[in-house]
Amino acid sequence: MKSPFGLVPRSLLCLGIPLVITLHAPLALAAANCGVFSSTLNFGNYDVLDPVPTDSTTNILILCIRNPPPGIETVSYTLSLSAGTGSFAARTMTNGPETLTYNLYANASRSSAAVWGDGSAGTVTVGGSLQPLTGQNPIRLASHTIYGRIPAQQDVAVGTYSANVILTMDY
């Protein structure tokens, strides 16, 4: 079907970016056991003629259990994301030789000052301190959102585009 301007609308399915998770714990904090859980960031369909960027989000859940001795100690952490394919300035998803530019952000405004990375090349990391849920409870929980964006009107072929990004938690 042609548009009134003689252009053939094209859309493509972007299945998204699965996050490969790694954990780093220094020996001094061996009394805390932490896990990070995340689902794939799925952009859905992308229309190359749409003048609006395609946005999506996924959540990261952090669960830490602080082993005895009980107390009110916190578990501090930092989350970083690899560039994946491409660079922090322009991450790319691929479909064979085709590439589709996207990026990942630490805030909903998706500003260039909040590109989520490893702290290099102008990127930011996300961190926090986990407090016990109640009193002497050893369980600590936190969640963070990854905000993704595919810039509008990239002239790419129809197909399934994907990339891998490594999520690292240091605690």
Side-chain angles (χ1 to χ4, degrees):
M1 169 170 78
K2 290 197 175 219
S3 74
F5 305 104
L7 300 172
V8 179
R10 295 188 291 171
S11 65
L12 50 106
L13 179 64
C14 301
L15 287 181
I17 300 114
L19 300 173
V20 179
I21 299 170
T22 61
L23 299 173
H24 297 132
L27 293 178
L29 289 180
N33 293 313
C34 294
V36 180
F37 308 93
S38 178
S39 58
T40 297
L41 177 67
N42 189 340
F43 285 101
N45 290 324
Y46 174 78
D47 183 346
V48 300
L49 299 178
D50 191 343
V52 178
T54 301
D55 291 342
S56 187
T57 62
T58 193
N59 289 313
I60 300 167
L61 175 66
I62 300 168
L63 169 67
C64 291
I65 298 174
R66 183 80 174 187
N67 293 329
I72 59 169
E73 299 91 358
T74 61
V75 177
S76 297
Y77 63 90
T78 302
L79 300 171
S80 60
L81 297 176
S82 71
T85 308
S87 67
F88 288 123
R91 289 177 163 111
T92 56
M93 288 185 271
T94 59
N95 174 25
E98 294 283 326
T99 60
L100 180 63
T101 302
Y102 75 98
N103 222 327
L104 303 173
Y105 302 88
N107 64 27
S109 68
R110 296 170 173 86
S111 68
S112 61
V115 171
W116 194 336
D118 62 6
S120 68
T123 65
V124 299
T125 59
V126 173
S129 294
L130 298 171
Q131 301 291 329
L133 293 177
T134 57
Q136 301 290 314
N137 192 332
I139 298 173
R140 288 135 172 88
L141 293 171
S143 67
H144 296 278
T145 302
I146 298 175
Y147 300 89
R149 172 169 283 169
I150 301 174
Q153 299 180 323
Q154 296 181 59
D155 188 17
V156 294
V158 174
T160 301
Y161 289 73
S162 63
N164 287 318
V165 172
I166 299 172
L167 165 65
T168 302
M169 177 181 175
D170 289 300
Y171 66 100

